[in-house]
C-alpha cells in the first residue's frame, strides 16, 4: 500500500510493521524523502528496508530523519568516525563485557527506565547468520486499543515504578546491581511513568509497560505486590500475543527502524550459537518526556520512595 506520503510500503504483520520497497537510502533520497519516510514510520511503527549497501556515514544521516541522534554514554562503544553509531555483536569484542553479546534479549522499550525514554532505534545488518538472531516486535498501541473501554479507563489511572538496576535478588549474578558503579547508580534512580501514554506525534494511546526484571519494572505504584505482578504479567502476555507480534528475520544489509514510543522489541541472540556471527550497526534518537493519557495521572517523575 502507498501511504499519503507517497512512499510505497507493504504491511508485514496484522496491525503494524511494513517493508518499504524501491527506495535505496542514498544521501539524496534521505534529503528529498526524509519527511515522507518519517510519516510512513509513524503510520507503521516498524519499517524494514532491504539490501541497503550504505556507508556508516549515510546510516548516521538516515538516523536524523527520526529525531536527534544520541551519542552513546559509553565512549568506547562509539563508532570511531560516527559517534552516534555503536556496534551490536554476539562475538567477544575488545573492551566489552560478555553480557553485551546478548543485549536486548527479552521484551523491552529502549531506555524505558529513564525519565526521558528512547524514541526511535534503528539497526543496519552487517554480518547476519543463515538463520537465527531474529528480532521480535510487539504493537503495544494496538494491544491497548483492543481492550474493553472500562478496562482502559482503569489502566489510564495507573503509574508504573521503574529502576534500571532493579532485581528481586541483588545477589543474582545477572542482576545489574552486580556490574554498575556508584556514578551509574546515581544516573539511574527509581522513577515512575504513567502506564498509558499518549504518542507525542500521533496522539494515540499505548501501554508503556515491560516485563518486571528484563524491563526494569518494579511494580504498579501503590498496588499490593501479588496483584501488581499478576496485572503486569497479564498485560505483557496480551501485548506479546500472536496478533500483535512481528518477527523480523534478518538478511545482510537490512535496515530496520522502530518506534519505542508504541512498540516493544526483543532480541533472540541467547538462542544463537556464537559460531554464527551477528554484527549490526545501531543508532537511537533522543526521546521526549512521557505524556500521560489521563492528565490527572501525572507526568514521569523521580520516585519519592526511591531507595538506593
Ligand atoms: O539485537 C537485536 O535483535 C535487538 C537489540 C536491541 O534490543 C536494541 O538494539 O535495542
Ligand atoms: Fe533494545
Amino acid at each position: 500500500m502507498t501511504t499519503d506520503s507517497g512512499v510505497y510500503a507493504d504491511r508485514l504483520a496484522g496491525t503494524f510493521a511494513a517493508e518499504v520497497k524501491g527506495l535505496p537510502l542514498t544521501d539524496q533520497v534521505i534529503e528529498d524523502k526524509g519527511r515522507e519516510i518519517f510519516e510512513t514510520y509513524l503510520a507503521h511503527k516498524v519499517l524494514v528496508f532491504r539490501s541497503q549497501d550504505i556507508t556508516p556515514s549515510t546510516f548516521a544521516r538516515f538516523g536524523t530523519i527520526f529525531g536527534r541522534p544520541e551519542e552513546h554514554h559509553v565512549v568506547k562503544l562509539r563508532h570511531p568516525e560516527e559517534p552516534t553509531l555503536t556496534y551490536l555483536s554476539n562475538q567477544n569484542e575488545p573492551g566489552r563485557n560478555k553480557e553485551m553479546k546478548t543485549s536486548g534479549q527479552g521484551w523491552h522499550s529502549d531506555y524505558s527506565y529513564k525519565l526521558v525514554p528512547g524514541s526511535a532505534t534503528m539497526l543496519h545488518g552487517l554480518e547476519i547468520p543463515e538463520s537465527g538472531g531474529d528480532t521480535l516486535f510487539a504493537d503495544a498501541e494496538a494491544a491497548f486499543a483492543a481492550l474493553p473501554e472500562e478496562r482502559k479507563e482503569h489502566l489510564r489511572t495507573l503509574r508504573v515504578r521503574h529502576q534500571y538496576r532493579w532485581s528481586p535478588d541483588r545477589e543474582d549474578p545477572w542482576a545489574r546491581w552486580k556490574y554498575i558503579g556508584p556514578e551509574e547508580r546515581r544516573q539511574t534512580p527509581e522513577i515512575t511513568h504513567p502506564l498509558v501514554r499518549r504518542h507525542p506525534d500521533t496522539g494515540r494511546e499505548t501501554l508503556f509497560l515491560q516485563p518486571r526484571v528484563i524491563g526494569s519494572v518494579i511494580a504498579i505504584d501503590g498496588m499490593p505486590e501479588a496483584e501488581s505482578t499478576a496485572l503486569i504479567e497479564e498485560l505483557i502476555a496480551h501485548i506479546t500475543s500472536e496478533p500483535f507480534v512481528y518477527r523480523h528475520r534478518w538478511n545482510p544489509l537490512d535496515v530496520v527502524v522502530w518506534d519505542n514510543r508504541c512498540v516493544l522489541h526483543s532480541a533472540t541472540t541467547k538462542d544463537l550459537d556464537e559460531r554464527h556471527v551477528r554484527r549490526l550497526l545501531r543508532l537511537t534518537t533522543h526521546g521526549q518526556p512521557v505524556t500521560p493519557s489521563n492528565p490527572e495521572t501525572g507526568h514521569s517523575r523521580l520516585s519519592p520512595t526511591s531507595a538506593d
Side-chain angles (χ1 to χ4, degrees):
M1 111 180 142
T2 309
T3 51
D4 295 346
S5 62
V7 169
Y8 184 80
D10 256 352
R11 188 36 79 75
L12 291 166
T15 63
F16 75 134
E19 180 176 336
V20 175
K21 298 226 169 119
L23 203 61
L25 296 173
T26 59
D27 289 352
Q28 194 61 48
V29 164
I30 291 166
E31 198 177 313
D32 295 345
K33 295 255 179 206
R35 188 70 217 170
E36 283 106 313
I37 293 171
F38 184 68
E39 299 289 338
T40 310
Y41 152 84
L42 291 181
H44 296 284
K45 309 168 201 175
V46 178
L47 290 184
V48 174
F49 303 77
R50 301 276 190 191
S51 309
Q52 301 294 330
D53 195 2
I54 54 174
T55 61
S57 139
T58 299
F59 186 53
R61 186 169 307 200
F62 173 72
T64 62
I65 293 175
F66 307 93
R68 188 157 54 91
E70 194 153 30
E71 294 190 353
H72 203 281
H73 56 275
V74 180
V75 176
K76 68 182 172 209
L77 292 184
R78 293 181 192 164
H79 186 280
E81 277 108 48
E82 295 293 338
T84 58
L85 303 183
T86 57
Y87 282 106
L88 273 187
S89 169
N90 71 333
Q91 302 297 299
N92 286 314
E93 303 289 345
R96 296 193 180 193
N97 53 8
K98 64 181 187 323
E99 289 81 10
M100 299 193 76
K101 290 201 270 188
T102 56
S103 62
Q105 181 81 30
W107 290 106
H108 65 284
S109 168
D110 289 334
Y111 315 125
S112 58
Y113 48 80
K114 293 189 181 181
L115 271 180
V116 179
S119 186
T121 302
M122 61 219 76
L123 300 175
H124 186 213
L126 303 180
E127 286 177 76
I128 300 295
E130 278 291 307
S131 67
D134 303 345
T135 308
L136 306 174
F137 297 94
D139 187 347
E141 191 177 277
F144 182 72
L147 294 172
E149 192 51 43
E150 247 179 53
R151 194 81 207 282
K152 288 186 188 166
E153 242 352 274
H154 176 236
L155 296 175
R156 286 186 189 108
T157 66
L158 301 178
R159 305 180 58 81
V160 183
R161 294 169 58 204
H162 299 247
Q163 190 182 40
Y164 173 69
R165 58 186 178 275
W166 180 77
S167 156
D169 173 13
R170 287 192 195 185
E171 300 312 314
D172 176 350
W174 286 92
R176 286 168 174 157
W177 284 103
K178 286 278 177 203
Y179 54 87
I180 66 172
E183 180 49 33
E184 287 156 320
R185 275 192 205 133
R186 264 193 298 280
Q187 282 178 18
T188 51
E190 186 190 314
I191 58 160
T192 62
H193 288 306
L195 171 61
V196 184
R197 71 183 283 189
R198 201 169 278 288
H199 194 289
D201 293 315
T202 66
R204 292 193 293 256
E205 297 172 288
T206 195
L207 283 164
F208 193 51
L209 183 68
Q210 297 80 41
R212 293 185 77 209
V213 174
I214 284 162
S216 307
V217 160
I218 304 174
I220 307 287
D221 199 19
M223 192 178 272
E225 185 166 354
E227 194 187 328
S228 156
T229 304
L231 177 58
I232 293 169
E233 284 173 3
E234 184 224 320
L235 291 175
I236 293 295
H238 172 63
I239 298 169
T240 61
S241 64
E242 204 268 340
F244 307 119
V245 170
Y246 166 62
R247 172 183 284 268
H248 184 70
R249 295 185 171 85
W250 287 90
N251 285 322
L253 301 181
D254 283 355
V255 166
V256 178
V257 53
W258 66 88
D259 189 344
N260 286 293
R261 300 167 300 177
C262 51
V263 162
L264 295 183
H265 63 283
S266 172
T268 60
T269 30
K270 268 193 178 151
D271 305 329
L272 182 67
D273 190 306
E274 278 170 37
R275 282 172 301 179
H276 302 293
V277 180
R278 183 179 188 267
R279 272 204 194 88
L280 306 95
L281 270 178
R282 179 175 192 266
L283 182 148
T284 62
T285 62
H286 278 276
Q288 305 81 8
V290 175
T291 308
S293 165
N294 176 352
E296 283 169 31
T297 307
H299 284 84
S300 306
R301 51 183 178 247
L302 280 176
S303 222
T305 55
S306 184
D308 178 40

